[in-house]
Amino acid sequence: MPQKTMRQAINEALRQEMERDPRVVVIGEDVAGGAGLDGEADAFGGVMGVTKGLYGQFGEGRVIDTPISETAIMGMAAGSAATGLRPVAELMFCDFMGVCFDQILNQAAKFRYMFGGKATTPLVVRTTYGAGLGAAAQHSQSLYGMFTAVPGIKCVVPSNAYDAKGLLIQAIRDDDPVIFFEHKMMYDLRDEVPDEAYTIPFGEANIVHNGGDVTIVALGNMVRVAVKAAEKLSEDGIGAEVIDLRTTSPLDEETILESVEETGRLVVVDEANPRCGIAADISALVAREAFEMLKSPVRMVTAPHAPVPFAPELEKLYLPNADKVIAAVREIIG
Amino acid sequence: MQLSRDDLRTAYRAMVTIREFEERVAVEFETGDMPGFVHLYAGEEAIAVGACLDLDEKDIIGSTHRGHGHCIAKGCDIQGMMLELFGRKGGLCGGKGGSMHIADLDRGMMGANGIVGAGAPLIVGAGLTAKTLKTGGVAIGFVGDGATNQGAVFEAMNLAVVLALPVVFVFENNYIGEATGVDYAVGSGDIAARAAAFGMPVDKVDGRDFFVVHEAMRGCIERARNGDGPSGIEALSPRYYGHFQGDPQNYRGADEVERYRAEHDCLKIFRQRVIDAKLLGDDDLDAIRAEAKALVDGAVAAARAAPPPGPSDLMTDIYVNY
């Protein structure tokens, strides 16, 4: 099977869906790049180069460069989704949701309910998240928890190129609004990715490492961290089962609870801040539904309750890593 | 005057239906049986009806915080609307939206909006759909004077111009945003000129005069249908009620609303015009108004008799699949 980067896998998913369905359009800042200027018409393909080449194939009517105008991008995407298109809007950094959250929170997420089931809003918002590039507080946050908390929104956080392609195709074919989170440190990571289109269903977590002593739940870029920790732990005879959530809304509660029933221990690894987020949510789920199965307290390995710092030394301290996960596991295994 | 007698009857019927509906909602709301808030459109009927008369099913409108009039002008079911305002089963939105979120996508009505100004980017999206899928439709975005100060509206205007979308903005200037005067809140003092600065033609018209609104909108809609991009009108007409029903309106002059009603009411202007031109007679117009009143009476009776949504309705319509 061919090896592809996550950037290539996402690009391929967009291309194949645009070929399949003329209602699929890509909207965002510099998704082509170069509009109105003398140089190349497809200069950027988005700042991360993910949509590169789509303009040449589909033209300006389907690959729509916008002004720096996030509220209008999200609103136009939501309004076009409710009236017959299947837009994939790019929000360059999820931090920018602070500029345009109303169009997601109060508009797209609520249409179907407010309008008594008459609205269908097949909107996908692709956005980047995560620290590691020294981009600091306004370009490095992991905000999927905020969207997971909103009824009407689905939230996808892929951990590898294979999943990214299958989950994005699912997102585009899905009839509900989906926020699709891409970790900016993962675009060049390679995996085996089939050439043909395929989908991965939402709400089905993936067990990526087997073990019977502790359950480690992770998502996105933290899945690699959790697997690295699990591999080291296994060298010491500790078996960790690593669950990749894939989607936070819907959430595969069953897989988490079944695993904890086996292991009796839970560590949640999340790059986001700890309050009111995915880690706290899953901890609460297990405390609520599987308390009697727990042999030890639940541990959360997350970023601290602090903004993302700039200096590389501080950013490294800020992020969860395999050593922190191992320490958490040892604490509860004793 | 290029409108047929049938068109004139249709226009008058829509205008008086809005008036009867809103005057009745004011009364019903005071009984305490209607939940939430209502923001009434009475006084501005000529704008909604003048803007929507030439639209058809492929055209989409986006409404404001004051949305009942736009619903009626676009052909939404009166009884469904009244049921919705009472929060009853069978309402236009199943009793889950209410006045501030009333919508009917089947009729091309994308919704009133609880967030002032938020509808403008959405209607740009409807314009994008029309252009991309070549439906031949246009998208009409109603925007209140208060909303014209929101960044979302500025962004929407700019993007509509940049992408040359088939969008028409209808800026409804009723002189007051909530309880603050337009002259205070609009820095430039001129909504039409400010909108025009985004790069589209915007006429300022007397929103009390149906014929003026209709004529101005005819040009805007034709421009959009021809692929010549967005345009707009600023239509001025007072609202007869408060920002919300129950608003004490102590920010207004003592006899201000009575003066508007007596001197420049849009229904009276319309009536006088068609009678003077011998196009419709008193009997014809009175009969239409009586029908509208009966329609609203029936809608209120039906709404008061209808059951509320049941427990099973709480958790439906959140997702298509979850």
Side-chain angles (χ1 to χ4, degrees), chain A:
Chain A
M1 203 181 290
Q3 290 273 325
K4 289 166 196 163
T5 64
M6 189 151 132
R7 178 184 288 106
Q8 290 169 326
I10 293 169
N11 180 280
E12 198 168 88
L14 290 167
R15 184 188 303 276
Q16 288 174 342
E17 287 305 287
M18 291 178 82
E19 284 170 349
R20 188 185 62 82
D21 187 342
R23 297 169 300 174
V24 179
V25 298
V26 169
I27 300 168
E29 293 157 7
D30 299 316
V31 288
L37 299 172
D38 294 336
E40 282 182 46
D42 189 16
F44 271 17
V47 287
M48 300 294 176
V50 174
T51 52
K52 184 84 176 166
L54 298 179
Y55 180 88
Q57 183 173 347
F58 300 102
E60 64 179 12
R62 307 263 315 272
V63 182
I64 302 165
D65 271 336
T66 69
I68 299 171
S69 207
E70 285 87 7
T71 294
I73 295 168
M74 290 303 135
M76 181 171 78
S80 66
T83 52
L85 292 184
R86 303 187 81 89
V88 182
E90 181 172 304
L91 182 66
M92 200 180 289
F93 295 91
C94 73
D95 316 68
F96 301 172
M97 193 49 81
V99 181
C100 55
F101 199 23
D102 176 64
Q103 292 293 332
I104 301 299
L105 172 72
N106 288 314
Q107 310 300 326
K110 309 289 197 284
F111 284 162
R112 190 167 182 82
Y113 199 77
M114 291 193 304
F115 302 165
K118 283 186 184 169
T120 301
T121 310
L123 163 69
V124 179
V125 177
R126 287 183 44 246
T127 191
T128 66
Y129 76 99
L133 276 182
Q138 296 173 343
H139 286 70
S140 304
Q141 294 170 89
S142 297
L143 298 177
Y144 31 74
M146 286 169 50
F147 297 88
T148 304
V150 178
I153 295 291
K154 291 175 179 172
C155 193
V156 181
V157 192
S159 69
N160 61 72
Y162 174 87
D163 282 7
K165 181 174 174 182
L167 289 166
L168 182 56
I169 292 176
Q170 175 61 36
I172 293 169
R173 295 180 187 178
D174 198 276
D175 282 332
D176 292 309
V178 179
I179 317 290
F180 191 89
F181 283 86
E182 301 165 12
H183 199 293
K184 55 181 84 70
M185 300 301 285
M186 292 172 63
Y187 281 123
D188 292 320
L189 300 182
R190 285 174 189 277
D191 275 297
E192 291 189 342
V193 178
D195 289 334
E196 66 274 13
Y198 58 95
T199 59
I200 296 173
F202 291 167
E204 290 188 15
N206 191 21
I207 296 172
V208 293
H209 192 275
N210 293 109
D213 299 317
V214 59
T215 300
I216 304 178
V217 173
L219 73 168
N221 201 32
M222 288 299 109
V223 173
R224 291 192 297 146
V225 169
V227 169
K228 194 172 163 191
E231 285 168 354
K232 281 192 181 169
L233 287 164
S234 72
E235 290 168 13
D236 296 337
I238 297 172
E241 182 144 285
V242 178
I243 297 174
D244 174 1
L245 290 178
R246 283 180 167 160
T247 65
T248 59
S249 178
L251 178 69
D252 184 354
E253 299 184 357
E254 201 180 315
T255 297
I256 298 167
L257 293 172
E258 278 174 6
S259 176
V260 172
E261 280 169 20
E262 286 293 315
T263 63
R265 297 182 184 88
L266 175 68
V267 174
V268 190
V269 189
D270 181 5
E271 186 179 328
N273 303 116
R275 301 291 312 278
C276 302
I278 300 299
D281 191 49
I282 288 166
S283 302
L285 167 76
V286 169
R288 199 170 62 234
E289 304 292 337
F291 185 73
E292 68 282 6
M293 309 305 292
L294 286 173
K295 298 172 185 162
S296 64
V298 169
R299 284 284 178 269
M300 300 186 353
V301 180
T302 68
H305 186 63
V308 182
F310 170 62
E313 295 79 2
L314 290 178
E315 193 182 39
K316 201 175 164 196
L317 283 174
Y318 176 91
L319 283 169
N321 58 35
D323 289 341
K324 292 179 187 177
V325 176
I326 290 166
V329 170
R330 290 195 184 286
E331 252 181 66
I332 57 173
I333 284 188

Side-chain angles (χ1 to χ4, degrees), chain B residues 289-302:
Chain B
R289 181 134 196 180
E291 284 167 22
K293 185 175 183 311
L295 185 64
V296 170
D297 287 346
V300 170

Side-chain angles (χ1 to χ4, degrees), chain B residues 145-168:
Chain B
D145 55 79
T148 66
N149 299 314
Q150 286 275 36
V153 176
F154 292 179
E155 290 193 24
M157 288 191 281
N158 185 56
L159 191 54
V161 170
V162 167
L163 299 179
L165 298 177
V167 173
V168 181

Side-chain angles (χ1 to χ4, degrees), chain A residues 113 151, chain B residues 96 310-319 322:
Chain A
Y113 199 77
Chain B
K96 293 177 171 182
S312 64
D313 295 312
L314 180 66
M315 295 304 291
T316 56
D317 306 325
I318 302 166
Y319 295 94
Y322 195 61

